[in-house]
Amino acid sequence: MASLPAKNGDPFADTNVVEDQRESMEESTLTVGRNASLTLGTDSLIVLDEGFVERNGSNCCGLIPSKNKTTRAIPFFNVLWADLDTFELTVRFAHQINKKDVRVAFINYGVEKTERAKATAWIARLLDRAYGVSQRQKRIKVLINPFGGKGHAQKLYLRDIEPIFAAARCEVDVEKTQYCGHAVEIAEKLDTDGFDVIASCSGDGLPHEVFNGLGKKKDAMRALSNIAVVQLPCGTGNAMSLNLNGTDSNSLAALCVVKGIKTPLDLISITQGDRRTLSFLSQAVGIVAESDLGTEHMRWMGSARFTYGFLVRLFGKICYPCDIAVKVDIGDKAAIRERYQQELSNDTPINERRENISTNSNSNSSSSEAEEGLPHLQYGTVGDKLPPDWQLVPYDKLGNFYAGNMAYMAADTNFFPATLPSDGSLDLVCMNGDVGHIAAVQSLMALGNNTLFDMPHVCYRKVSGYRIIPRGQRNGYISIDGERVPFEPFQAEVHRGLGTVLSKSGHVYEGPGPGVL
């Protein structure tokens, strides 16, 4: 018996494939009301509604109606939730009102009783597309620093963030910090099985406290692995959100937390004197530390104070003599660029990626350590003898010693373009303090156009540990995650994938890599 021709008019088409495509299209489209339909597109929810009427704002101040548009596209990333009650289907989403802000909006349509089963199945497919591998309805412990964002953090949370969490059906518990170090105490006492995320409405200081609070728990390694630490940018320094979310907008960051993918993050043990703390962002001695901490009295200048401090010290050719010992992982820029590109093209599933990191990390720790606290210090503390393969080298003309665990230290300041969330290495940038004025200006400009990495006078290495001993100065500035610590020797050691954050990609930061414009 001869086969029937395909209904699309192509006699050579495979009828089974055509039928599968037709069924898939029917499953993706839900007819709602008399003149409307909802279709799951490639990356957006397509809303077709004959009732849509839009005005063109550029046409006589919007007074003359433009040609009616009957379709709207809502990116799946912006879809927060969808549900079906007795009579209506409602889709809530984050509507982009400008480049920096989103607000909760919704569409709703009546659904016939005979279509309820189909609508329920369609909603399930929509949420699968909207969330992918990201966890839905996250349980979030929110910490608000009432002094952050010039004292507006609570207002920013209520206006920009809370509505997005509510629309996404997140479970939220809010607590305000009362004093410096309070977040350390809250995180240390927190039941990490009761939450999926700790979100700090603050600058970068509160996440630093949260990591250190979790690090004080008896089961620190388990706690740091189980719960994700995120930032809702409400402070003056919002590097964490810039790197993981690609934005310092409160509302966009909230959307990114809702859709964020659990991502392992390297943490760094800092030993200084008899103290051990955790760092997640950066450590600095020299120009960067002084340009930040040494200009606190100029906060009225905003971000310009850092540029001013940086230029003054560069042109002054100020040097910061130190003795430094480094455990180098990769010392060649070409090899560093290659490692970044390999990770960029890494398509290993998220769950497998985390398992591989955990396996490698646990090979250096006993099973009892995971239950008792932080990992063993493979290189010892700053008070111990140097490891056998480390050599202390004098740097008489050091201008800048800057180690980064994330790419951006501020907006448009991509200091560490090759850094990765969980490669087991810090990216270390060193520059002499006596560089010429032209090179000094070029260095500052290079930060804005992502060319600092390739500058010949910039030493860029990947390291897993170091010790730095300042000399020739009784007082100075050392910055750990933007916070001032005593001006005395310290040692750093990287713990691969010890911490957990939420990111958009699950394995890289939101910025161009080395030499990529």
Side-chain angles (χ1 to χ4, degrees), residues 27-57:
E27 291 176 350
S28 298
T29 300
L30 181 69
T31 301
V32 286
R34 182 175 298 177
N35 299 309
S37 66
L38 307 174
T39 300
L40 305 180
T42 303
D43 54 12
S44 300
L45 167 61
I46 309 300
V47 184
L48 173 64
D49 190 335
E50 298 294 339
F52 286 162
V53 176
E54 294 186 357
R55 293 179 182 267
N56 187 342

Side-chain angles (χ1 to χ4, degrees), residues 224-240:
L224 287 163
S225 175
N226 279 2
I227 195 164
V229 179
V230 304
Q231 180 191 47
L232 298 165
C234 296
T236 53
N238 301 307
M240 188 180 197

Side-chain angles (χ1 to χ4, degrees), residues 221 357-367 369-370 374-379 424 464 493-496:
M221 291 176 66
I357 291 174
S358 299
T359 300
N360 293 335
S361 300
N362 291 337
S363 64
N364 295 322
S365 304
S366 65
S367 58
E369 288 175 1
L374 292 173
H376 169 72
L377 290 171
Q378 183 180 356
Y379 303 134
S464 54
E493 178 176 329
V494 181
H495 305 292
R496 187 181 184 194

Side-chain angles (χ1 to χ4, degrees), residues 328-339 453 460-462:
V328 178
D329 297 332
I330 307 177
D332 176 68
K333 289 184 180 180
I336 291 173
R337 181 183 282 106
E338 182 180 356
R339 174 190 275 195
F453 178 87
Y460 196 112
R461 294 171 285 179
K462 280 192 172 286

